[in-house]
């Protein structure tokens, strides 16, 4: 297992946190997620051997989030 962490930040002022939770919950390889409504950010820990960063980043970008790899 190759766990990685990435943090995503909302690009607008009213992100759909339920959609984020649903999107991440449907992806195989997500180990955990922490959604912070105050900062409008999402911290994701995932197994990169199953879920490449590019796939995760593309899905989050579609929901209006930009990434910051940790």
């Amino acid at each position: 297992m190759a766990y990685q962490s990435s943090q995503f930040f909302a690009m607008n002022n009213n992100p759909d946190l339920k959609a984020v939770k649903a999107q991440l919950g449907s992806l195989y390889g997500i180990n955990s997620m922490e959604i912070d409504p105050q900062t409008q950010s999402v911290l994701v820990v995932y197994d990169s051997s199953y879920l490449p960063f590019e796939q995760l980043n593309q899905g989050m970008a579609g929901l209006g989030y930009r990434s910051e790899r940790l």
Side-chain angles (χ1 to χ4, degrees):
M1 292 185 196
Y3 287 116
Q4 301 286 325
S5 297
S6 293
Q7 191 159 13
F8 297 87
F9 296 91
M11 293 186 285
N12 63 46
N13 291 330
N14 195 16
D16 186 349
L17 298 177
K18 287 182 183 180
V20 170
K21 191 172 186 178
Q23 170 82 7
L24 292 175
S26 71
L27 295 175
Y28 185 74
I30 298 292
N31 185 50
S32 67
M33 66 179 118
E34 292 180 33
I35 298 174
D36 186 341
Q38 288 183 322
T39 62
Q40 298 179 351
S41 66
V42 181
L43 176 63
V44 181
V45 178
Y46 62 99
D47 186 340
S48 61
S49 60
Y50 293 104
L51 179 63
F53 172 75
E54 293 75 19
Q55 182 181 351
L56 175 61
N57 190 43
Q58 184 178 32
M60 292 298 288
L63 294 171
Y65 282 78
R66 64 176 173 79
S67 66
E68 184 176 305
R69 276 182 128 165
L70 303 176

